[in-house]
Amino acid sequence: MRIVVLAGGIGGARFLRGLKQAAPDADVTVIGNTGDDIHLFGLKICPDLDTVMYTLGGGINEEQGWGRTDETFAVKGELAAYGVGPEWFGLGDRDFATHIVRTQMLAAGYPLSAVTEALCARWQPGVRLLPMSDDRVETHVAVDVDGERKAVHFQEYWVRMRAAVDAQAVVPVGAEQAKPAPGVLEAIAAADVVLFPPSNPVVSIGTILAVPGIREAIADAGVPVVGLSPIVGDAPVRGMADKVLAAIGVESTAAAVAGHYGSGLLDGWLVDTVDAAAVQEIESAGIRARAVPLMMTDTGAAAAMAHEALALAEEVRA
Amino acid sequence: MRIVVLAGGIGGARFLRGLKQAAPDADVTVIGNTGDDIHLFGLKICPDLDTVMYTLGGGINEEQGWGRTDETFAVKGELAAYGVGPEWFGLGDRDFATHIVRTQMLAAGYPLSAVTEALCARWQPGVRLLPMSDDRVETHVAVDVDGERKAVHFQEYWVRMRAAVDAQAVVPVGAEQAKPAPGVLEAIAAADVVLFPPSNPVVSIGTILAVPGIREAIADAGVPVVGLSPIVGDAPVRGMADKVLAAIGVESTAAAVAGHYGSGLLDGWLVDTVDAAAVQEIESAGIRARAVPLMMTDTGAAAAMAHEALALAEEVRA
């Protein structure tokens, strides 16, 4: 079975670990979000790709969900001693090495997809990890600060500001001109099923879908497309998805997110058992829905979710 | 008193620490060798400038004489895990931060002299540290390996090969086209005395003198130029200076090194007490010489050497 998964960071990575347990023999291609990539200290940092790679490769800091295990922060401390920031972005010493290798390879002319493949040669994530695009896409968030509207990088909004102010708009800058990375459209066309993990529907999966050609390829693939709600009981399971959903006028409910993707794209949608009442509304909009436990408390729980998603896909197909 | 010092790495840095103790009120400008600079991992590394900066700023690893105190090697270990080398160059995590700041500033368009000044704003070395040039100069060493002559970067010859094979030639590539960094010629013209610490006469001081204009400015300054022999009892005090001296046809003796600089450049020369017999030969070549202890066992010893050098300079002047 060939499965294509659109993934953001922590939620996507943990779901993928469950999927690999639930379907160990499946051929999994991950299309990773690169809209939250950032250049810091002259280095190219791809937080979502790295979170997937480290999580599946056994190098993740389990507790925080991102960054490396047994991490130290000597480089960052020294940069601060030189007065060089930003200090709000947590870059550990081990993590730095990944960005150094990536930056060197990009400078040598390799596209991000080739760089990602080279990094994965070490991590052996057990999936094929593709960036959504080799072209630069950078998610910016419009915020009002002291009565003035300004655009900040998504990382600045998310990490430094902790989404404490409302997002007025979310713009994946460069997406319109971006091309899907080599292999992305081919993987979608060859897929037996496409899954949307409980990743952020705006700044993770939404950004991937903003690359021209990807949404269309998924809609045209003629295979089940099944997603899992990142909203449980009207609140995001993790992160601050409600802030960016509000910016695009979508309610923070499992049903509203399903409606946002729409029946033209989505065939099946899993909501948490606490949102069982929403199943009927979602199905009346033409999307098959089931209520199952959606809290990824451990890999077993994530595997059960993946199993339910694949089961719903088979139901859709039948 | 305005003192100009031409400095390489460890020997120059330790001598400078002694000089600051011996002449705490002097206005010291250091012209640092950049011929052993190297690009690794996409970063610009200036080993000699950093050794001077760390030593005078209190951040040096005292035991090894280069690199940072309390150093860790997480980044390097991770780079090796990615298969990215070279492994023979010892780059610690704290040290990395210096190179990241430098590389970023250079990429932003600042010349190396401005970058060095910015880095020194943190380290407060108590001297004005200038690179010999803002232009790229890279010392290459010609060696015969398996019957074939090839050129290797000085760092590769010194660190990886440990100077185990004979150097056939030493070439400061780019020196002929290099210009002295801003302030270099001005500092020499304004100096009351110019000192050559017991640094390597070929790949440290020799490289600085290879930048067109510097040797001439020193010769024309009309002030005492006094050096300290890096050779004691026919062997280098530190490092493998004999290897590169042989490449340029100079014997590894205190007298031969003095003769290599020549009386047109050098007014005074300190040799170690074990080389007292050489004093007469050196003086007969027109260079005033004295035999004093030249082992920098601690800062007090280095200060005594600096004191002797300044005393010899006054003697020359009188």
Side-chain angles (χ1 to χ4, degrees):
Chain A
M1 183 165 51
R2 286 161 298 192
I3 306 174
V4 165
V5 183
L6 273 52
I10 303 176
R14 289 184 175 170
F15 175 78
L16 281 163
R17 196 159 54 178
L19 177 64
K20 279 175 41 82
Q21 184 173 310
D25 298 328
D27 174 351
V28 179
T29 297
V30 179
I31 301 171
N33 171 41
T34 57
D36 60 351
D37 290 3
I38 188 166
H39 286 80
L40 291 176
F41 315 114
L43 301 173
K44 165 84 162 176
I45 300 166
C46 301
D48 282 359
L49 294 181
D50 287 350
T51 294
V52 170
M53 186 172 76
Y54 293 159
T55 299
L56 296 181
I60 199 77
N61 179 321
E62 285 291 342
E63 205 167 322
Q64 68 188 14
W66 53 269
R68 294 289 311 280
T69 187
D70 297 325
E71 189 55 290
T72 52
F73 292 87
V75 177
K76 190 183 176 195
E78 286 295 314
L79 289 170
Y82 279 116
V84 172
E87 297 200 32
W88 51 264
F89 199 84
L91 267 185
D93 299 328
R94 287 172 178 248
D95 203 19
F96 252 112
T98 300
H99 312 315
I100 289 172
V101 175
R102 175 184 292 123
T103 304
Q104 264 201 289
M105 285 190 71
L106 289 170
Y110 292 95
L112 183 60
S113 49
V115 174
T116 304
E117 188 178 348
L119 294 172
C120 284
R122 170 184 175 198
W123 290 103
Q124 297 288 323
V127 300
R128 183 167 178 225
L129 177 59
L130 303 175
M132 63 190 201
S133 177
D134 281 336
D135 301 320
R136 184 165 172 173
V137 178
E138 205 167 86
T139 303
H140 286 194
V141 179
V143 291
D144 289 338
V145 178
D146 300 329
E148 272 189 68
R149 178 146 308 183
K150 62 172 197 167
V152 297
H153 188 288
F154 170 70
Q155 294 292 351
E156 188 172 357
Y157 179 70
W158 208 249
V159 181
R160 185 176 75 76
M161 304 172 79
R162 295 175 189 283
V165 300
D166 288 341
Q168 304 295 335
V170 179
V171 182
V173 178
E176 278 176 33
Q177 291 78 40
K179 289 182 299 295
V184 164
L185 298 184
E186 293 80 354
I188 294 169
D192 296 309
V193 57
V194 177
L195 300 179
F196 296 177
S199 289
N200 191 306
V202 184
V203 295
S204 296
I205 294 176
T207 306
I208 300 170
L209 294 172
V211 176
I214 294 185
R215 175 189 291 269
E216 297 73 7
I218 294 172
D220 295 348
V223 298
V225 178
V226 171
L228 297 92
S229 177
I231 307 289
V232 168
D234 301 352
V237 176
R238 157 179 300 281
M240 301 150 284
D242 49 333
K243 292 288 187 170
V244 288
L245 279 167
I248 62 165
V250 175
E251 259 191 298
S252 281
T253 67
V257 173
H260 169 62
Y261 286 131
S263 60
L265 185 68
L266 204 60
D267 301 305
W269 188 241
L270 294 180
V271 302
D272 189 78
T273 46
V274 304
D275 297 312
V279 166
Q280 199 176 350
E281 178 192 347
I282 298 164
E283 295 215 317
S284 71
I287 298 167
R288 197 173 288 241
R290 292 289 174 273
V292 300
L294 288 189
M295 303 301 284
M296 287 193 286
T297 45
D298 55 28
T299 303
M305 288 163 56
H307 184 82
E308 293 287 356
L310 293 174
L312 183 54
E314 289 316 305
E315 204 177 309
V316 165
R317 193 193 313 276
Chain B
M1 182 164 53
R2 285 161 299 192
I3 307 175
V4 165
V5 182
L6 273 51
I10 303 177
R14 289 185 174 169
F15 175 77
L16 281 163
R17 196 159 53 179
L19 177 64
K20 279 175 41 79
Q21 184 173 310
D25 298 328
D27 174 352
V28 179
T29 297
V30 178
I31 301 171
N33 171 41
T34 57
D36 59 353
D37 291 3
I38 188 166
H39 286 79
L40 292 175
F41 315 114
L43 300 174
K44 165 85 163 176
I45 301 166
C46 302
D48 282 0
L49 294 180
D50 288 350
T51 295
V52 169
M53 187 172 76
Y54 294 159
T55 300
L56 296 182
I60 199 79
N61 178 322
E62 286 290 341
E63 204 166 324
Q64 69 188 12
W66 53 269
R68 295 288 312 279
T69 188
D70 297 324
E71 189 57 290
T72 51
F73 292 87
V75 178
K76 191 184 176 194
E78 287 294 313
L79 288 170
Y82 279 116
V84 172
E87 298 199 31
W88 51 263
F89 199 84
L91 266 185
D93 299 328
R94 289 172 177 246
D95 203 19
F96 252 112
T98 300
H99 313 316
I100 288 171
V101 175
R102 175 185 292 123
T103 304
Q104 264 201 290
M105 286 190 70
L106 289 170
Y110 292 95
L112 183 60
S113 49
V115 173
T116 304
E117 188 178 349
L119 294 172
C120 284
R122 170 185 175 197
W123 288 102
Q124 296 288 324
V127 300
R128 183 167 179 226
L129 177 59
L130 302 175
M132 65 189 200
S133 177
D134 281 336
D135 302 318
R136 184 167 174 173
V137 177
E138 205 168 86
T139 303
H140 287 194
V141 179
V143 292
D144 289 338
V145 177
D146 299 330
E148 273 190 67
R149 178 147 307 182
K150 63 172 197 166
V152 298
H153 188 288
F154 170 70
Q155 294 292 351
E156 188 173 356
Y157 179 71
W158 208 247
V159 181
R160 185 175 76 77
M161 303 173 79
R162 296 176 188 282
V165 300
D166 288 341
Q168 304 296 334
V170 178
V171 183
V173 178
E176 278 175 34
Q177 291 77 41
K179 290 184 298 295
V184 165
L185 298 183
E186 294 80 353
I188 295 169
D192 296 308
V193 56
V194 176
L195 300 179
F196 296 178
S199 290
N200 190 306
V202 184
V203 294
S204 296
I205 295 177
T207 306
I208 300 170
L209 294 172
V211 176
I214 294 185
R215 175 189 290 272
E216 298 73 6
I218 294 171
D220 295 349
V223 298
V225 178
V226 171
L228 298 91
S229 176
I231 306 289
V232 168
D234 301 352
V237 175
R238 157 178 301 282
M240 302 151 285
D242 48 334
K243 292 288 186 170
V244 286
L245 280 167
I248 62 165
V250 175
E251 260 191 298
S252 281
T253 67
V257 173
H260 168 62
Y261 286 131
S263 60
L265 185 68
L266 204 61
D267 301 304
W269 188 241
L270 294 179
V271 302
D272 189 77
T273 45
V274 303
D275 297 311
V279 166
Q280 198 175 351
E281 178 192 346
I282 298 164
E283 295 215 317
S284 71
I287 299 167
R288 195 172 290 241
R290 293 288 176 273
V292 300
L294 287 189
M295 303 303 281
M296 287 194 286
T297 45
D298 55 28
T299 303
M305 286 162 58
H307 183 84
E308 293 287 356
L310 293 173
L312 183 55
E314 290 315 306
E315 204 177 309
V316 165
R317 192 192 314 275

